[in-house]
Amino acid sequence: MQVRRKFASCRRDSRWLSTSAVDAMRTRRRLERKWKSSHREEDYTLYRKACRSANKLIIDSRQQFYKERISAAGQNTRRRWAAIRDVLHLTNTVDTRSPSECQTLCDKFALYFVDKIRKIKTAIKTRLVNSQADPMQSDPPYQGPLLDALTTPTVDEVKKLLCSMPAKSSPIDCIPTSVLKSNSDIFAPLIARLAALCFNEGVFPQRFKTACVTPLIKKKGMDEDSAANYRPISNLHTISKIIERLFLTRVIDHVERAPSFNRFQSAYRRGHSTETALLRMLNDVYCAADRKSRTLLIQLDLSAAFDTIDQNTLIRRLEQTFGLSGTVINWVQSYISDRSQYVRVGQRQSANIACEYGVAQGSVLGPLLYTLYVAPIASIIASFNVNHVQYADDTQLYIALDCSSAPTTVDSCFQAVQYWFTLNGLSLNPDKSRL
């Protein structure tokens, strides 16, 4: 097989940044956080001023670094061309495959991604072959006011979303995002009208239910011929994401007020990040250390968490545990059902394949739906008096070893959590879960 090579762009490090540029970037970040926290106009003005100052210093330091590097190369042609390639980000190479090879890879990846989920589901069914338990058995019934209708989106609301979106487009967009943004006066009323019809009818547009999947190697240096070493990156329609975000703003307050919402979920929530998860865990560990106690930690990771969610159980949980009903639950049902995807490599793509399980990867609503789906494990863990933190699809169980029964308690808690995951169609990844 003949392999052709071409230079491909890659992200460079920041070794050329001067001390003043680094200081300016820190100042910019500090002012950005202050503005996002206060939302005051004067803080925004200071932040934008810091942006301009930092950008100028970054450009100047980069120019100075490469100017000195090219000058130092002198008459050495090899060193000079190496510096120029570095300036243009052309130092890495990738293989360029023929159309037939791209088509073969598309079909290979499409089959692998589907078979992977089917194997996980088959293993789960095998473990539950003699079980008649209900996945909803640990869910406390919702007793508050129901959310059965959504307010109509306004044109100004859609315009604001368009302005805040990045200009990058999805490979399956019919209209580039930059065109939507630059012509928001034209597109905002159309998108607002489309969203209003969707919310009133409880139906999500069928043409927005197809995802374009791009395989991305998990780590540099892995075997590129093995489909297991690739992560499926899903791309959806930009307009689809706008409709999802409009829906999200209308349900988020309701579900977060529900008693069953997990307060220790530190991802996919405004104001809750890795920092909040680490602060909680470290505070508990340090408090245990002050009592002369050690802490036992169990880290749990799920295999293909988003892709293995049982859709029927998700709808039941949204209805019975979080109080969604009427056209709202009908819209969610329409949103998650009858979805499909195809794999694209180069200029070739596979046939469309139905998504039998899960919620859409790369979507706006996917993270929230996953959070609500796994929310009941918080009450299960709390029943054992074990602490926990969740970040995305990772769960950490930990307990201070204050008494001799602590290891037994955390083991019983782990068994209960593992059984709940299995009962709800999720599977722990033994390679990434550890004590």
Side-chain angles (χ1 to χ4, degrees), residues 112-146:
Y112 172 79
F113 292 146
V114 171
D115 282 348
K116 177 183 177 181
I117 304 304
R118 288 175 177 170
K119 289 178 180 178
I120 293 175
K121 286 297 187 179
T122 300
I124 292 173
K125 290 178 181 178
T126 301
R127 292 196 291 268
L128 294 175
V129 64
N130 296 320
S131 175
Q132 300 296 325
D134 184 3
M136 302 288 294
Q137 64 184 12
S138 301
D139 292 45
Y142 180 81
Q143 298 179 344
L146 302 177

Side-chain angles (χ1 to χ4, degrees), residues 301-321:
D301 181 83
L302 294 172
S303 298
F306 280 44
D307 295 324
T308 53
I309 288 176
D310 185 83
Q311 296 178 354
N312 292 330
T313 303
L314 173 61
I315 294 300
R316 290 178 61 196
R317 183 155 288 137
L318 293 177
E319 284 185 300
Q320 301 176 25
T321 311

Side-chain angles (χ1 to χ4, degrees), residues 17-305:
L17 285 176
S18 64
T19 303
S20 58
V22 173
D23 292 339
M25 291 170 63
R26 290 172 178 167
T27 301
R28 178 181 63 183
R29 180 59 175 157
R30 176 174 55 81
L31 292 174
E32 180 186 14
R33 289 175 175 171
K34 183 178 180 182
W35 164 61
K36 288 186 175 181
S37 176
S38 66
H39 298 287
R40 295 189 305 177
E41 185 64 29
E42 53 267 32
D43 289 337
Y44 177 75
T45 302
L46 291 174
Y47 163 60
R48 292 305 304 161
K49 184 178 179 180
C51 286
R52 291 189 291 269
S53 177
N55 291 341
K56 184 178 185 304
L57 288 172
I58 291 170
I59 293 172
D60 290 344
S61 61
R62 184 174 185 272
Q63 289 176 344
Q64 183 63 28
F65 173 83
Y66 285 110
K67 181 180 179 180
E68 293 175 357
R69 185 174 172 185
I70 293 174
S71 298
Q75 300 301 316
N76 189 321
T77 306
R78 183 183 296 274
R79 289 181 59 192
R80 180 174 294 181
W81 275 110
I84 292 174
R85 288 196 186 100
D86 203 11
V87 172
L88 299 176
H89 305 316
L90 300 177
T91 53
N92 281 0
T93 61
V94 295
D95 293 337
T96 302
R97 298 180 174 88
S98 66
S100 61
E101 291 172 334
C102 289
Q103 187 62 58
T104 300
L105 284 175
C106 286
D107 298 335
K108 175 182 177 181
F109 283 126
L111 181 62
Y112 172 79
F113 292 146
V114 171
D115 282 348
K116 177 183 177 181
I117 304 304
R118 288 175 177 170
K119 289 178 180 178
I120 293 175
K121 286 297 187 179
T122 300
I124 292 173
K125 290 178 181 178
T126 301
R127 292 196 291 268
L128 294 175
V129 64
N130 296 320
S131 175
Q132 300 296 325
D134 184 3
M136 302 288 294
Q137 64 184 12
S138 301
D139 292 45
Y142 180 81
Q143 298 179 344
L146 302 177
L147 181 64
D148 57 4
L150 301 172
T151 58
T152 302
T154 65
V155 175
D156 289 339
E157 185 180 6
V158 176
K159 280 186 179 180
K160 186 176 180 180
L161 282 177
L162 286 173
C163 293
S164 64
M165 290 173 56
K168 61 181 181 180
S169 296
S170 169
I172 56 178
D173 279 340
C174 299
I175 304 173
T177 305
S178 58
V179 175
L180 295 176
K181 291 172 66 69
S182 59
N183 297 276
S184 59
D185 291 340
I186 298 174
F187 288 105
L190 300 176
I191 297 174
R193 176 60 177 164
L194 174 62
L197 291 173
C198 293
F199 294 164
N200 291 337
E201 299 294 329
V203 176
F204 186 77
Q206 184 64 42
R207 68 171 302 168
F208 293 153
K209 294 184 181 183
T210 301
C212 172
V213 176
T214 302
L216 181 67
I217 194 76
K218 292 180 179 178
K219 292 182 180 179
K220 188 176 181 180
M222 281 185 157
D223 182 8
E224 297 185 1
D225 293 328
S226 174
N229 294 332
Y230 287 80
R231 180 179 291 106
I233 305 300
S234 296
N235 292 280
L236 303 171
H237 289 271
T238 298
I239 295 178
S240 166
K241 291 187 176 183
I242 296 175
I243 297 175
E244 291 179 60
R245 197 165 295 282
L246 292 170
F247 181 87
L248 178 65
T249 59
R250 283 156 174 76
V251 301
I252 188 65
D253 289 340
H254 175 85
V255 296
E256 286 189 347
R257 287 196 300 266
S260 297
F261 187 82
N262 187 0
R263 299 320 190 253
F264 299 118
Q265 172 68 39
S266 291
Y268 316 134
R269 295 173 63 194
R270 185 182 296 275
H272 294 76
S273 63
T274 51
E275 294 180 4
T276 54
L278 287 172
L279 284 173
R280 168 178 162 76
M281 182 181 295
L282 288 176
N283 179 72
D284 292 340
V285 170
Y286 291 154
C287 288
D290 290 340
R291 301 193 303 268
K292 310 299 182 181
S293 295
R294 291 174 294 175
T295 300
L296 178 64
L297 171 68
I298 298 179
Q299 296 177 314
L300 306 179
D301 181 83
L302 294 172
S303 298

